[in-house]
Amino acid sequence: MEWFKTQMTDGRTTVFDPLRRQYVALTPEEQVRQKMLFYLVEKRNMPSGLIAVEYSIKVNNLPKRCDIVIFNNLGEAKMIVECKAENVAINEKALDQAIRYYSGLKADFLTLTNGKSMYCYKIDNGRLIPLSEFPKF
């Protein structure tokens, strides 16, 4: 896959997302999302076909969009990844957002990243268990 290919579109920098197969605005959050996608596909060898970007879900009948969702071969959500811009702290507010997404998908893992820090959690019987490294599954 070709990563981090940019171009100017209507005076804005856009980046080609090889998973969505389109150019998208290169916002600070998108920059982190693209780095995370690269990490998942190129470094962790996750099949790109099992990764959804900006995946739409409903939480309490409200439309929400997860930055990244990783599925297993059965189509079950295994991990939700919430990306924030580098200048945004990974704090309780970001974790609360990811937990809301979890309530709509029931994934096994949550990951939060701002490109500088990454926090991974396993969800076991509704409890968040911090992991010391990115999970293997």
Side-chain angles (χ1 to χ4, degrees), residues 16-137:
F16 186 75
D17 180 333
L19 275 70
R20 288 181 274 181
R21 295 183 183 96
Q22 65 184 24
Y23 279 91
V24 294
L26 185 57
T27 63
E29 183 176 313
E30 187 63 41
Q31 190 170 8
V32 171
R33 183 170 27 242
Q34 288 302 313
K35 288 177 183 177
M36 189 65 185
L37 290 169
F38 175 83
Y39 171 75
L40 293 170
V41 173
E42 302 296 336
K43 303 296 182 195
R44 302 298 300 200
N45 296 315
M46 301 237 171
S48 61
L50 297 180
I51 300 172
V53 182
E54 293 199 328
Y55 185 75
S56 296
I57 63 169
K58 291 234 183 210
V59 177
N60 298 326
N61 285 325
L62 296 173
K64 301 290 180 186
R65 205 175 312 179
C66 302
D67 286 317
I68 300 169
V69 179
I70 302 167
F71 295 91
N72 65 16
N73 289 329
L74 301 174
E76 301 162 332
K78 294 302 288 176
M79 178 182 280
I80 298 166
V81 181
E82 179 59 28
C83 300
K84 298 294 182 190
E86 281 190 6
N87 65 341
V88 175
I90 301 297
N91 55 21
E92 198 168 318
K93 183 178 174 186
L95 181 58
D96 287 346
Q97 180 181 4
I99 290 170
R100 276 193 302 278
Y101 295 161
Y102 164 78
S103 72
L105 278 178
K106 304 293 189 230
D108 296 332
F109 299 92
L110 290 178
T111 296
L112 295 94
T113 184
N114 63 4
K116 296 186 288 189
S117 300
M118 181 170 19
Y119 299 93
C120 299
Y121 301 91
K122 178 169 181 27
I123 302 166
D124 187 24
N125 291 323
R127 292 182 314 127
L128 287 177
I129 301 167
L131 302 176
S132 58
E133 60 184 33
F134 195 85
K136 295 180 174 110
F137 53 85

